[in-house]
Amino acid sequence: MKNQEVAKLLYDIADMMEIRGEMIFKIVAYRRAAQAVESLSRDIEDVWRQHALEDVPGIGKGIAEKISEYLEKGKLGYLDELRKGLPPGFEELLAIEGIGPKKVKMFHERLRIRNVKELEKAAKQGKLRKIPTLGEKTEQNILHAIEAAKKRGGRMLLGYALLVADEIIAELKKNADVDRISTAGSLRRMKETIGDIDILVTSARPNSVLKYFTRMKGVSGVIAQGPTKASVRLASGMQVDLRVLKDMEYGSALMYFTGSKEHNVALRKIAIAKRMKLSEYGLFQGNKFVAGRAEQEVYKKLGLEYIEPEMRENRGEIELAKKGKLPKLIGYRDIRGDLQMHTKWSDGANMVGEMAKAAKEMGYEYICITDHAGGPAIANALNGKRLEKQRKEINSANKKTDITILQGAEVDIRKDGKIGIQNTVLKELDIVLASLHSALRSKNNTVRIISAMENPNVDIIAHPSGRLLDKREGSELDMEKITQKAKETNTILEIDAQPERLDLSDVNVKAAIEAGCMLSIDTDAHSTDQLRHMRIGIATARRGWAPKNSVINTYPLDKMRKMLK
Ligand code: DGT
Ligand code: CA
Ligand code: CA
Ligand code: ZN
């Protein structure tokens, strides 16, 4: 599946256009198309073969032609044209927080900086501060951001890695020699970023499975191959490890390769204390095999409750499992509605009715349409008048569907903590989400959020920290103050399930749950396909030990509405 590859192509084009100073609407169009392809539920090559690229919301004629050319020839002439004269390392430069196309251009023109290595050198030599519009502070920030980017290093976002893994697992299941199959590693623990994809299968014919795997479509190279395992590289650059196991050892191997390493180390200590030995091959007492076929049996023989993969981080779960006191986590099918999504009214790709239809197909009872309002202007935010017009469309869409469509808005929290739209307008909405879109580095952001929570119309704080996993750190928030205020004002904190966000993070979810806060899990979808990212929001809640009853959108509509402010 080339969806990720094509999305990357479109993002690259947008970045290059920006460095070249092209018109902003063209750049926005490429980014929107990239987003659409990234979250598309069908194989982009199938769509192309059916001549249906232009039917994908967000893809227009010009971009459809570029995608066609790329898929047909494996390259794009336009890209080479754009690339001419640009610094070769512009992509890695743009991945540094605080470095946009303007700075890339400036550094290249003034200092001939072509990549991150040269940028780091120039910053350390104090050459950046000599550029008139910059200064010592910017130079220091850039060095700090380069360090942060190094730490992130080539990891893939969970939401997209899962889509790739879904494809691989579907392909593997077509092979009759594959019996049991599961993801393992960080992907099974649903960590927010993934180093490589780990997959385990059982089979009586490892050779045949490995041969099939290394020749699967989408595989661009074989990194390593042995009698029971193989590692391949996909065209998108992602590495996939496959291990073929015997049925007897499937459970213990699944535990071993799911990790985390810290969790496994603690389990092995427990085994030793019980005079047993735990390895990927099973739990043994001397030479006697005690358990190994299923994870449940191994945990049981260790005297522990079964621990869900999302909790296996050695953050206290083992102690609770010993006492039989693990929390019961929210399940992947517990969500009844999605409370944040955007439509064509602001910066989304679909109409209200289309979002409702897609949500209905997901089995939801209700959704809330939350287009931007009161800023930011770049997202085509609504004012009171346009919200009134939108209400009419929502009313008529409600008559055509049997799920309930609520009208909400995602309102901007200004620098002074005030909401960018009047309370008389907010009062008319079913649900109001407030969020930060500017000055994310400001030290004042805890105060801004607290002030927004004091507004009696603000029900939910959306993506509280504002972090972007592949690009910027979030605001430094005082979570203790925020969770306390949230409880006091009955404001809900959101887990935003956009792959780039996952905000609240798992760690912040745990803090919020311990403080007794209510959460919502929303996709913040900007197209129908992005509604599918709900599962990574749920995963983040599970990694933060959230039970079902602490998530507002697990409740039926009436109950959910009564629980709002
Ligand atoms: P990643 O791929 O960086 O996102 O993280 P993981 O957790 O998927 O790590 P990976 O792919 O290197 O290995 C998968 C699992 O295998 C890991 O979670 C635990 C287990 N594992 C791998 N190497 C070791 C090791 O040296 N010691 C122990 N105890 N476990 C290991
Ligand atoms: Ca891995
Ligand atoms: Ca691995
Ligand atoms: Zn938006």
Side-chain angles (χ1 to χ4, degrees):
M1 189 149 115
K2 293 194 170 159
N3 294 23
Q4 303 304 321
E5 194 181 324
V6 171
K8 185 174 174 314
L9 173 84
L10 298 174
Y11 278 123
D12 286 351
I13 291 177
D15 289 341
M16 286 189 255
M17 286 174 133
E18 205 171 341
I19 297 175
R20 293 193 164 277
E22 297 268 356
M23 308 273 264
I24 187 80
F25 77 90
K26 280 172 81 178
I27 300 166
V28 169
Y30 271 92
R31 294 232 163 92
R32 183 179 292 189
Q35 270 190 0
V37 174
E38 201 161 49
S39 301
L40 193 67
S41 51
R42 287 164 297 157
D43 186 333
I44 188 89
E45 279 189 285
D46 289 343
V47 178
W48 165 60
R49 273 185 220 108
Q50 289 155 14
H51 304 283
L53 284 173
E54 283 179 62
D55 299 342
V56 176
I59 299 183
K61 185 154 178 282
I63 296 180
E65 281 167 5
K66 302 274 191 311
I67 297 176
S68 300
E69 183 186 331
Y70 181 76
L71 289 175
E72 197 181 317
K73 300 183 182 158
K75 60 185 173 63
L76 183 60
Y78 181 57
L79 193 74
D80 300 332
E81 260 172 60
L82 278 175
R83 211 185 269 280
K84 267 186 207 139
L86 292 185
F90 77 93
E91 282 181 87
E92 54 173 57
L93 284 166
L94 284 172
I96 307 292
E97 176 173 8
I99 303 221
K102 275 204 201 97
K103 285 213 180 80
V104 171
K105 198 172 162 187
M106 185 201 291
F107 294 152
H108 189 231
E109 280 170 0
R110 287 179 172 256
L111 300 167
R112 310 308 305 162
I113 287 171
R114 290 169 304 175
N115 52 42
V116 173
K117 216 171 149 196
E118 291 177 2
L119 178 67
E120 187 176 9
K121 198 168 151 208
K124 283 188 174 153
Q125 292 171 341
K127 285 186 181 161
L128 301 188
R129 69 180 78 166
K130 301 214 175 89
I131 298 176
T133 50
L134 304 181
E136 205 177 329
K137 179 128 189 287
T138 314
E139 197 174 75
Q140 286 310 310
N141 286 344
I142 286 175
L143 277 174
H144 175 80
I146 290 174
E147 278 313 305
K150 275 188 196 157
K151 254 189 255 159
R152 282 196 301 270
R155 297 181 68 83
M156 194 177 188
L157 299 177
L158 172 66
Y160 303 129
L162 268 178
L163 297 179
V164 175
D166 285 348
E167 282 294 312
I168 297 169
I169 285 181
E171 273 307 299
L172 285 170
K173 278 184 175 167
K174 287 183 197 159
N175 185 313
D177 289 328
V178 169
D179 298 326
R180 295 205 267 174
I181 184 162
S182 172
T183 57
S186 51
L187 191 72
R188 183 160 180 250
R189 302 199 313 279
M190 298 285 217
K191 255 184 89 160
E192 58 201 25
T193 63
I194 305 297
D196 67 1
I197 294 177
D198 299 289
I199 297 177
L200 305 187
V201 303
T202 59
S203 173
R205 291 193 189 79
N207 268 332
S208 130
V209 172
L210 288 169
K211 208 163 169 185
Y212 177 83
F213 172 67
T214 50
R215 294 176 186 178
M216 229 166 47
K217 72 172 182 185
V219 170
S220 69
V222 178
I223 300 164
Q225 189 172 355
T228 58
K229 64 177 193 177
S231 294
V232 300
R233 174 107 29 224
L234 304 180
S236 58
M238 190 91 220
Q239 183 181 325
V240 186
D241 291 351
L242 178 75
R243 288 183 175 80
V244 188
L245 306 159
K246 296 188 201 92
D247 201 56
M248 281 278 284
E249 63 190 13
Y250 182 68
S252 48
L254 196 50
M255 281 173 72
Y256 182 86
F257 292 110
T258 295
S260 66
K261 220 184 220 171
E262 293 75 15
H263 178 88
N264 288 351
V265 167
L267 291 188
R268 279 201 296 272
K269 277 192 195 144
I270 292 179
I272 290 167
K274 291 187 179 299
R275 298 180 184 287
M276 291 191 277
K277 188 173 169 292
L278 177 63
S279 73
E280 54 188 293
Y281 307 108
L283 182 63
F284 295 89
Q285 197 145 36
N287 286 328
K288 197 179 118 226
F289 177 86
V290 177
R293 199 184 173 280
E295 286 186 323
Q296 280 82 354
E297 291 167 14
V298 178
Y299 277 107
K300 197 168 167 194
K301 295 285 181 196
L302 289 172
L304 301 173
E305 268 186 293
Y306 176 74
I307 301 174
E308 299 285 354
E310 295 90 334
M311 292 184 80
R312 300 182 194 172
E313 299 291 349
N314 199 22
R315 291 179 183 158
E317 74 278 9
I318 294 173
E319 290 73 12
L320 289 181
K322 232 181 248 174
K323 293 186 225 151
K325 288 202 165 143
L326 282 174
K328 182 157 167 34
L329 306 182
I330 177 177
Y332 284 98
R333 301 165 67 87
D334 284 341
I335 294 290
R336 290 178 190 250
D338 192 334
L339 301 182
Q340 189 190 172
M341 65 189 67
H342 300 246
T343 70
K344 279 191 171 166
W345 282 91
S346 63
D347 59 350
N350 291 91
M351 314 274 278
V352 171
E354 292 167 338
M355 295 305 278
K357 185 163 171 273
K360 170 76 191 166
E361 279 160 18
M362 293 196 55
Y364 291 153
E365 294 166 23
Y366 52 86
I367 55 169
C368 188
I369 302 290
T370 55
D371 279 297
H372 295 275
I378 193 168
N380 188 23
L382 308 190
N383 54 20
K385 227 190 197 124
R386 286 180 67 215
L387 277 167
E388 241 172 73
K389 276 197 193 150
Q390 189 198 43
R391 164 69 76 181
K392 292 201 184 100
E393 182 176 324
I394 290 179
N395 286 345
S396 92
N398 256 321
K399 286 185 195 121
K400 291 183 201 134
T401 174
D402 53 355
I403 83 170
T404 303
I405 311 168
L406 302 172
Q407 187 189 28
E410 180 189 5
V411 299
D412 187 43
I413 306 173
R414 296 192 316 205
K415 294 212 172 73
D416 59 5
K418 295 223 168 67
I419 301 302
I421 195 164
Q422 313 89 298
N423 276 312
T424 47
V425 176
L426 298 184
K427 260 205 328 239
E428 299 303 313
L429 299 170
D430 296 309
I431 301 181
V432 175
L433 283 68
S435 55
L436 303 174
H437 295 100
S438 58
L440 294 171
R441 285 266 75 81
S442 156
K443 291 270 170 269
N444 206 24
N445 288 340
T446 300
V447 177
R448 282 166 86 192
I449 288 181
I450 283 180
S451 134
M453 289 198 275
E454 278 165 353
N455 183 312
N457 295 306
V458 169
D459 299 294
I460 299 176
I461 300 296
H463 50 74
S465 87
R467 73 170 178 176
L468 293 178
L469 282 165
D470 52 348
K471 200 155 171 89
R472 73 175 179 233
E473 290 173 53
S475 295
E476 278 173 39
L477 299 178
D478 183 336
M479 277 309 286
E480 211 177 307
K481 281 190 186 145
I482 286 179
T483 52
Q484 201 183 335
K485 192 61 163 187
K487 251 192 93 173
E488 188 186 310
T489 56
N490 188 26
T491 310
I492 290 150
L493 300 176
E494 182 191 61
I495 300 171
D496 186 303
Q498 286 282 306
E500 294 76 13
R501 293 191 183 273
L502 290 179
D503 178 11
L504 301 175
S505 67
D506 53 0
V507 172
N508 284 343
V509 168
K510 196 153 179 276
I513 294 294
E514 277 162 15
C517 292
M518 281 298 286
L519 306 174
S520 69
I521 309 176
D522 310 324
T523 61
D524 190 1
H526 284 65
S527 71
T528 50
D529 279 322
Q530 290 180 8
L531 290 169
R532 289 183 306 156
H533 293 313
M534 182 58 84
R535 61 178 168 172
I536 62 173
I538 299 171
T540 303
R542 288 165 63 84
R543 287 181 58 83
W545 301 15
K548 178 179 172 184
N549 64 11
S550 64
V551 177
I552 190 159
N553 46 332
T554 63
Y555 290 90
L557 180 65
D558 286 344
K559 182 96 203 283
M560 185 276 289
R561 298 193 70 169
K562 282 199 191 101
M563 290 168 80
L564 296 167
K565 251 186 218 177

